[in-house]
Amino acid sequence: GGARPKVLPIHHMMTALLVLKTLSIFFESVRYHYIRVTGHAEFWSFVYYTFAFLKGTILFTVILLIGSGWSFVKPFLNEREKKVVAVVLLLQVIDNLALVVLNAETEGEQRFDDWSAILHLVDIICCCAVLVPIVWSVNALEKSIEQNAESKAAEAGGGKAAPPPGSEDAKTLEKLKLFRSFYLLVVAYVYFTRIIVYLFATMLDYRHTWLRYAVTELGTLAFYVVVGIKFRPVADNQYAPVRRDEDDASNQVEMGKVRSGKAKD
């Protein structure tokens, strides 16, 4: 048989995200069931909000880590990527706090409108923040391809040829296409779930408001499936490390710390 697919740490996080997403939907259905039967569900609301918080946090973290190339391109994050992750995690705490307060208020009241605005603002900021590492990865890959092409053209005396299949340049080009498609996927997911669905909901009467949530979940499912297929474990790791000049300094500092630690031992 062929070589075994290589499972990376990010794949375990993607699996954890699927489990948390399933559990959050399950506990939300249990919560609504008890609200319908008894009129209240404090315990199940607590359980649901806990899993909803974990799911939201892991979702944005996974998108950030995939976009930064962690596991696929490099084994660790540089300082600026760590800062983006920290900011998004903080925003997720605020976002879920707003969600809890929002569900305790009555629609139409001033506090409801204020917290609803905070919720949407924080959510949009999170969605914009997760795009930043993807742009960094695309720029780094483009720069790597451009530098390699220029150096080889100089050696060959001018003229740029397409990289031969299986070469490092060809793999870098494949990675560039992959991250570009991931960027478009994330933008499409954000646009669909935050704007298209919102506009769709304004056209629904109160008997069909459930369609808003059904359409959102279908869009989310499609996003999960496509990303899972594109970044599935593969036998021949086409995501092998490439030179990322902007990260060289921070990466060498990290490696220097590791070596100095071993030297002390």
Side-chain angles (χ1 to χ4, degrees):
R4 219 172 145 188
K6 186 177 181 181
V7 179
L8 302 171
I10 191 67
H11 294 128
H12 296 302
M13 292 192 68
M14 292 163 78
T15 303
L17 172 61
L18 291 177
V19 172
L20 289 170
K21 175 66 176 176
T22 304
L23 289 174
S24 67
I25 293 175
F26 171 73
F27 287 122
E28 185 178 21
S29 65
V30 172
R31 172 175 172 263
Y32 278 120
H33 169 74
Y34 276 93
I35 289 174
R36 182 175 63 85
V37 173
T38 66
H40 58 86
E42 289 80 5
F43 172 74
W44 292 111
S45 292
F46 171 76
V47 174
Y48 162 65
Y49 288 130
T50 300
F51 279 96
F53 167 71
L54 293 173
K55 181 267 299 178
T57 303
I58 293 293
L59 170 62
F60 283 102
T61 303
V62 166
I63 293 174
L64 278 167
L65 293 177
I66 292 176
S68 67
W70 181 74
S71 277
F72 295 115
V73 173
K74 56 186 181 180
F76 46 78
L77 301 176
N78 60 35
E79 285 303 316
R80 66 178 183 178
E81 289 165 345
K82 289 176 183 176
K83 288 176 183 175
V84 173
V85 172
V87 168
V88 169
L89 292 180
L90 176 61
L91 290 174
Q92 277 298 298
V93 172
I94 298 172
D95 191 49
N96 283 273
L97 178 63
L99 180 64
V100 172
V101 175
L102 191 66
N103 280 275
E105 299 297 329
T106 304
E107 190 168 354
E109 292 183 352
Q110 185 61 44
R111 277 170 61 87
F112 181 91
D113 294 337
D114 292 343
W115 279 100
S116 182
I118 292 172
L119 187 67
H120 286 298
L121 176 63
V122 172
D123 193 44
I124 289 170
I125 293 172
C126 280
C127 293
C128 293
V130 298
L131 295 173
V132 174
I134 309 175
V135 174
W136 288 342
S137 294
V138 169
N139 288 339
L141 289 168
E142 286 177 341
K143 192 173 181 181
S144 176
I145 290 172
E146 187 179 341
Q147 288 177 346
N148 288 342
E150 286 176 357
S151 62
K152 288 187 178 179
E155 289 173 6
K160 295 182 180 179
S167 66
E168 285 300 317
D169 287 347
K171 289 181 179 180
T172 304
L173 188 59
E174 285 300 314
K175 285 194 285 287
L176 177 60
K177 292 176 182 177
L178 185 67
F179 278 96
R180 277 177 175 168
S181 65
F182 182 60
Y183 176 81
L184 294 176
L185 273 172
V186 174
V187 170
Y189 171 69
V190 170
Y191 187 77
F192 180 78
T193 56
R194 270 66 178 177
I195 299 175
I196 298 296
V197 171
Y198 177 79
L199 296 174
F200 174 66
T202 61
M203 299 185 290
L204 300 174
D205 58 50
Y206 73 95
R207 290 171 299 180
H208 298 96
T209 52
W210 63 271
L211 283 171
R212 172 184 182 175
Y213 304 101
V215 169
T216 301
E217 294 303 333
L218 286 173
T220 302
L221 176 63
F223 176 71
Y224 283 17
V225 168
V226 175
V227 172
I229 291 172
K230 282 185 172 291
F231 291 92
R232 67 192 183 278
V234 291
D236 179 23
N237 186 12
Q238 62 185 12
Y239 317 116
V242 296
R243 185 173 69 251
R244 299 183 64 170
D245 293 340
E246 291 185 7
D247 296 344
D248 280 350
S250 59
N251 289 352
Q252 285 180 10
V253 168
E254 296 283 347
M255 295 304 292
K257 289 178 182 177
V258 173
R259 285 171 185 157
S260 63
K262 287 182 179 176
K264 289 178 183 177
D265 293 342

